[in-house]
Structures are given as structure tokens and as C-alpha cells.
Amino acid sequence: MTDVRRREGDGVGGLRDGSASFDELREQALTLRKEGFSRRRIRDRLKVNNNDLLNRLLEGEPPPEWTKRPNAKDDLRATARELRTQGLTYDQIQLELGCSKSSISLWVRDLPKPPPRTKEEASAIARRGWEATLARREAARQETKLEATREIGELSDRELFLIGVGLYWSEGTKSKPYRRDEQVTFVNSDPNMIEVYLSWLALLGVDRQRLRFYVMIHESADVEGAERFWADLTGGDATMFGKTTLKKHNPKTVRKNVGETYRGCLVVRVRQGADLYRRIEGWWYGIVLGAKPAA
């Protein structure tokens, strides 16, 4: 794909509507839009750094449904006025509708004011206000995470390969100059990390019979439940699991990783993995060199 920044020339005028290069780029942009890409993802994928050009490329193509937000200002205004006639204050209306006080003021300022609040009522409103604020923040957090999840889509083999190399070099054991230990051993407590790692090993063609699993968990936890959980997650039978390592409980330590969701860590070891380890180390340094800017 030709670099869009080079083709743009001097500003937006570097690509004229109807030119072969513009039509080709517009076709690619419309295809991505129809596949559900956001403007940001299209901009990054096609290396379009000019908003005017991006607007021209997407002209006439509606945004995906998931990017649309309903415009309910008229309904909100009518509801706000109804609540005001019922005697609710600006704070109470804001709690019910989640809109700004300035908007509420514009909508209802011609209506009569409600009677003064007692201390108890004011305290209850403040408490509900804080709870509503926390709920809105959590909703915004979840929406950001969901949008980011959609941006990833299905991974190619190469993308999974590179992710797996970085994952192992972050969480796997590594040989040291003072302690040569070329083993492929990965340890983590996150089931999602374990699943991605096992998918990566499968992509590399590692035979499952070479895998050995070990559970590491505090002795005060549900050991048998954790062993069942990791066996179900990995699909490994009893012959693939070694002896569980129990961490001694220290009563003076206030641990946070307790409860039903605590299942310890899983160790995933690849037997006869010296050659694979050397390749992983080489792949990692290949990534390091590839990420460095050209001199």
C-alpha cells in the first residue's frame, strides 16, 4: 500500500477527488467502514493524518451502528419538566436523568421552585449523587474497554506469534549469564494469559505431550478446586500434571488473593525445550531490533 502521507503532497490538495489514487484510497476506506471500523482505526490503518481528507474519503458512508449514540435531548427535556412539576430539585433531576445542571436549568427555570430540603434529604441526595457518579464512571470504563476490545478483531498467525514472544519474555523463565537454564517455563495466575500462551505453543507446533502442568497455591486455599479448574482450562489429563506446590500460610500476612476466584498459579513447562528457548530468545531480540527507529 502506498504511503498516504507521501501521496497527500502539499496539504489535502495532494489527492484530488476523481484521481486514481484518491479513488483507490476511498474504496479501501469505505470497505473498512462497512466492516465496522471506527474513524480512528481507519485513519491508523490507512495512515491518513488529515481529518479533511478522511472526511472526503468517508463522505456518504454512514458510521457503524455501534458508534452511534442516541440523541434524546427532547425526551430528556420533557422528562425533566415533568420531574420538576413533581417537586424535584436540580440535584434530584440530575440523579434521575444523568444530564448537566446547566441543561436542566435551561429546560425548567420557568417552573416554580420546590420547597427547601431538610438536612436528611440533602444528605440522602448527596449520597445518591455520589453513587450515581460512581455508576457513570464505571459505565464509561466498561464502554472504553468494550470499544478497545472491538478494535482488535481476529488475530492473524503472525500477530499471535509476535504477541506470544512478548508474552513469554515478560512472564516466562529466562536464562541468565550467571545461571544458564534454557528451559521453556511459563508461570501465571491469569487464566486468559494461560489460554493465549497455550494457543501460541499450538501455533508453534509444540506437541501437547511435551507439556507438563504444575499448580502453585497457598495451603489455606481450595487446593482440589484449583486443580480441577486448571485441568478443565488446559484440557490436560492427570498424567500431564505434576505434584502441586503448596505455599505455607503466614497468619501475620494479610493476603488479598483469597476467596472463590483465587486458584493460585499454573506453571506450564515444555519438556526438551532448550532449542525452543533459544529460538524464543532470538525472536525477542529480533523484535527489539525491528522496533528501533532507523538511523
Side-chain angles (χ1 to χ4, degrees):
M1 184 183 300
T2 307
D3 193 332
V4 176
R5 291 172 293 183
R6 179 173 57 82
R7 292 189 298 182
E8 286 182 20
D10 184 15
V12 179
L15 285 177
R16 293 190 176 88
D17 295 354
S19 66
S21 56
F22 178 86
D23 291 344
E24 175 189 350
L25 190 61
R26 175 172 163 77
E27 181 179 354
Q28 295 175 22
L30 294 179
T31 298
L32 293 175
R33 193 59 154 169
K34 291 175 181 177
E35 292 177 0
F37 278 51
S38 64
R39 287 174 58 92
R40 179 186 298 176
R41 290 185 65 196
I42 295 173
R43 182 192 65 197
D44 294 342
R45 177 68 65 89
L46 301 182
K47 296 183 173 63
V48 174
N49 298 320
N50 189 300
N51 284 330
D52 290 335
L53 175 58
L54 184 60
N55 290 337
R56 288 163 51 202
L57 294 173
L58 297 176
E59 186 176 1
E61 181 63 28
E65 287 297 324
W66 69 266
T67 65
K68 297 179 180 178
R69 291 179 171 82
N71 184 1
K73 285 293 184 67
D74 292 339
D75 292 340
L76 283 176
R77 180 180 184 277
T79 304
R81 292 184 66 82
E82 174 63 25
L83 293 174
R84 188 63 164 177
T85 59
Q86 296 175 13
L88 272 67
T89 64
Y90 283 11
D91 289 335
Q92 291 170 316
I93 295 173
Q94 185 181 39
L95 289 178
E96 294 293 333
L97 303 183
C99 48
S100 67
K101 288 186 181 179
S102 59
S103 295
I104 295 172
S105 175
L106 290 174
W107 296 336
V108 307
R109 60 188 176 188
D110 60 311
L111 300 177
K113 295 181 179 180
R117 298 187 299 247
T118 66
K119 285 186 177 181
E120 291 76 11
E121 290 174 332
S123 177
I125 290 173
R127 183 172 61 255
R128 288 179 57 203
W130 179 240
E131 292 172 352
T133 297
L134 293 178
R136 285 195 297 271
R137 289 178 181 176
E138 180 60 24
R141 278 195 291 268
Q142 296 303 323
E143 177 61 27
T144 299
K145 294 176 184 179
L146 182 60
E147 182 177 350
T149 299
R150 292 193 187 105
E151 290 178 354
I152 298 301
E154 187 175 352
L155 296 179
S156 67
D157 286 351
R158 177 164 177 79
E159 288 170 335
L160 177 57
F161 168 72
L162 294 174
I163 289 171
V165 174
L167 195 65
Y168 183 87
W169 209 250
S170 299
E171 300 294 327
T173 60
K174 292 171 279 291
S175 181
K176 304 294 183 182
Y178 52 84
R179 177 180 51 81
R180 185 172 299 280
D181 185 15
E182 297 179 326
Q183 296 188 46
V184 178
T185 303
F186 185 85
V187 184
N188 212 268
S189 63
D190 186 345
N192 294 324
M193 294 273 275
I194 295 295
E195 288 187 306
V196 172
Y197 178 67
L198 293 178
S199 296
W200 180 66
L201 291 179
L203 177 68
L204 298 181
V206 176
D207 191 332
R208 279 185 60 84
Q209 295 304 313
R210 294 172 57 193
L211 301 183
R212 287 295 178 269
F213 304 112
Y214 304 88
V215 177
M216 300 173 59
I217 190 169
H218 285 272
E219 61 181 358
S220 59
D222 181 3
V223 178
E224 292 184 0
E227 291 172 341
R228 287 193 301 270
F229 173 81
W230 291 116
D232 291 342
L233 181 81
T234 61
D237 56 34
T239 63
M240 300 178 70
F241 277 80
K243 184 179 179 181
T244 296
T245 300
L246 298 179
K247 303 177 182 178
K248 289 192 177 296
H249 176 62
N250 184 354
K252 296 181 179 180
T253 302
V254 180
R255 290 175 43 231
K256 302 295 184 181
N257 53 342
V258 295
E260 295 180 359
T261 59
Y262 171 65
R263 304 180 183 96
C265 295
L266 184 68
V267 180
V268 183
R269 183 167 298 155
V270 179
R271 295 193 302 172
Q272 300 174 348
D275 183 69
L276 175 58
Y277 175 83
R278 295 163 193 154
R279 297 182 67 81
I280 293 172
E281 185 167 336
W283 290 331
W284 169 248
Y285 287 114
I287 291 174
V288 172
L289 292 175
K292 289 183 178 180

